[in-house]
Amino acid sequence: MQSKIEKLKSGMLADLKTAKSEQAIKDVEVKYFGKKGLFGDIMKSLKDLSVEEKQTVGKSANMAKKELEEAVMKRYDEIEHEKLSAIAEEEWIDVTVPGKKPQIGHRHLISRFIDDLEQIFAKMGFELAEGPEVETEEYNFDHLNIPETHPARDMQDTFWIKNLEKYVLRTHTSPVQVHYMQKNDPPIRVIAPGKTFRKDSDATHSPMFHQLEGLMVDTDVSMANLKAVMTHALQQIFEDSTIKTRFRVSYFPFVEPGMEVDCTCPICQGNGKLPDGVPCRLCKQCGWLEIAGAGMVHPHVLKNAGYDPEKYTGFAFGMGLERMVMIKYRINHMRLFFENDLRFIEQF
Ligand code: DAH
């Protein structure tokens, strides 16, 4: 009988040792201590023993049971401990490791350049105006005195909106002039930066590009004011107070007279060559860069906007921004602005 108890004991201890979960321990408990368990069998067989034997065997059976119950509790503790250390292992963090920097973006170079321009013109009293990027043919062309037959209206150059007759993606920011004048009385000083669209795409053209339009109208605005504003703005933009401007006669239907505004090349300071004698490639050695279209607002445009052309005069200008950014930051391909390669974008 004693040896039966010993056997049962060592059997249960071995079973406990291999029990790897709470459930497995419970199963061991049932196997030995359950209603039909092996321990029960021993207790049942006690009845066949003599009184003396019952006492000794019963005593050692009880001791064995107590011991085994303790072993069960211990095994539960061990399993719990193993579980916790597994979690601790898995969720372990080294609080001294430097944190991961979240990727925070920043404004695109073009947007930042527009911010800068807004500042520069704001200091000269120019307000900001906006207009729609999907524009009517009327505002994009007619109100600006652009005749029906003008080549700019050609399917080749302009994105027309499918199924929406008479709508275009604005080809320039000049229509904002008319929108603004229709809503505001003179005197006005306003700039309108924004996206413009043309069917053009190569190293120096993108089908979407940015322009900045400027407009000043009052009772006695002259070309001298235009020259002063352009010169100051360009000096500020290129951060070079030696920059000069010149006007060359040109034609735009919405101004009369119309002109191209050139500024001295900010790379070679207008010398055509660099200090070490190397010919300047940007201005092709002529010392001047074409920067903007400009002119005195055409009387028809003033009239279309509801202004009296006998009473008011004004100047307007429009400049492409990508080219200026390329010059200022020495960028050699327009494509880089819009292909979203972070290696490029993060440089600025
Ligand atoms: N809108 C013209 C263009 O996109 C640029 C321009 C020329 C704007 C003369 C003006 C201007 O305001 O007076 O080519």
Side-chain angles (χ1 to χ4, degrees):
M1 204 57 169
Q2 286 295 7
S3 69
K4 229 175 164 186
I5 293 172
E6 282 307 316
K7 221 168 127 196
L8 180 142
K9 204 168 119 186
S10 56
M12 184 166 175
L13 288 175
D15 283 353
L16 277 178
K17 210 177 229 171
T18 53
K20 294 274 182 259
S21 66
E22 281 175 18
Q23 187 55 50
I25 302 174
K26 265 186 201 136
D27 292 345
V28 174
E29 279 186 290
V30 171
K31 179 174 165 192
Y32 292 88
F33 296 149
K35 264 194 202 147
K36 293 177 189 155
L38 299 173
F39 210 84
D41 292 348
I42 290 183
M43 295 314 253
K44 265 180 231 151
S45 59
L46 280 182
K47 66 178 191 308
D48 304 328
L49 300 178
S50 69
V51 178
E52 241 169 60
E53 274 177 322
K54 250 186 217 167
Q55 248 179 15
T56 44
V57 175
K59 205 170 163 195
S60 59
N62 277 334
M63 266 167 63
K65 190 170 184 204
K66 211 171 149 214
E67 223 175 285
L68 287 168
E69 276 167 354
E70 271 165 22
V72 166
M73 291 325 284
K74 196 169 145 229
R75 188 67 189 132
Y76 273 122
D77 282 351
E78 279 169 10
I79 291 282
E80 178 72 7
H81 185 75
E82 274 168 29
K83 224 161 70 182
L84 290 177
S85 24
I87 291 172
E89 185 64 33
E90 198 174 308
E91 295 182 0
W92 177 88
I93 51 164
D94 180 353
V95 291
T96 66
V97 169
K100 270 190 202 151
K101 262 198 193 158
Q103 267 218 344
I104 299 174
H106 61 73
R107 286 164 74 65
H108 190 274
L109 180 57
I110 301 274
S111 308
R112 297 237 307 267
F113 187 68
I114 291 174
D115 291 348
D116 292 346
L117 290 175
E118 287 173 11
Q119 291 288 321
I120 290 167
F121 282 100
K123 285 184 184 149
M124 292 190 275
F126 284 77
E127 281 179 31
L128 200 59
E130 280 186 334
E133 288 169 8
V134 176
E135 190 50 279
T136 59
E137 191 182 4
E138 201 182 6
Y139 277 87
N140 196 76
F141 299 121
D142 297 284
H143 286 333
L144 290 167
N145 203 35
I146 299 175
E148 197 88 44
T149 52
H150 196 278
R153 296 202 189 208
D154 202 322
M155 303 287 286
Q156 305 287 304
D157 297 324
T158 302
F159 288 108
W160 293 81
I161 309 281
K162 214 174 182 178
N163 304 330
L164 204 56
E165 216 186 319
K166 307 235 175 260
Y167 278 86
V168 298
L169 295 186
R170 68 177 180 194
T171 59
H172 51 179
T173 42
S174 301
V176 186
Q177 288 185 31
V178 186
H179 285 297
Y180 190 86
M181 285 194 279
Q182 285 179 341
K183 286 193 217 98
N184 297 276
D185 291 328
I188 57 166
R189 253 178 292 179
V190 68
I191 54 162
K195 291 187 171 62
T196 47
F197 307 86
R198 280 181 214 173
K199 286 188 182 173
D200 253 343
S201 191
D202 58 38
T204 53
H205 296 91
S206 147
M208 186 283 296
F209 57 105
H210 295 79
Q211 284 191 340
L212 180 124
E213 194 76 16
L215 175 70
M216 177 168 175
V217 181
D218 202 345
T219 45
D220 52 7
V221 172
S222 75
M223 269 170 65
N225 300 126
L226 171 62
K227 175 112 174 159
V229 167
M230 294 307 296
T231 307
H232 181 71
L234 288 162
Q235 288 178 352
Q236 296 292 308
I237 291 168
F238 292 120
E239 297 172 58
D240 176 354
S241 58
T242 67
I243 282 184
K244 295 187 192 56
T245 54
R246 72 176 184 188
F247 292 158
R248 272 180 302 113
V249 77
S250 184
Y251 173 73
F252 300 97
F254 33 93
V255 282
E256 179 58 38
M259 61 210 78
E260 302 281 352
V261 182
D262 296 346
C263 74
T264 44
C265 176
I267 305 284
C268 64
Q269 269 75 43
N271 294 320
K273 52 182 189 298
L274 303 175
D276 55 7
V278 174
C280 181
R281 284 201 311 190
L282 181 67
C283 63
K284 302 201 176 73
Q285 301 177 58
C286 84
W288 293 94
L289 291 178
E290 200 177 301
I291 285 294
M296 299 306 290
V297 183
H298 198 290
H300 288 175
V301 176
L302 291 172
K303 215 153 59 197
N304 291 338
Y307 285 10
D308 178 359
E310 295 297 327
K311 195 165 160 201
Y312 295 108
T313 53
F315 68 70
F317 61 87
M319 46 200 187
L321 302 189
E322 276 77 5
R323 193 165 116 86
M324 279 201 274
V325 178
M326 287 168 80
I327 294 167
K328 182 163 179 179
Y329 296 96
R330 314 287 199 264
I331 294 161
N332 57 13
H333 206 298
M334 175 93 68
R335 195 188 57 216
L336 290 165
F337 287 133
F338 307 121
E339 62 185 8
N340 293 339
D341 186 333
L342 289 179
R343 288 170 303 177
F344 170 76
I345 288 181
E346 282 172 352
Q347 289 179 53
F348 303 100

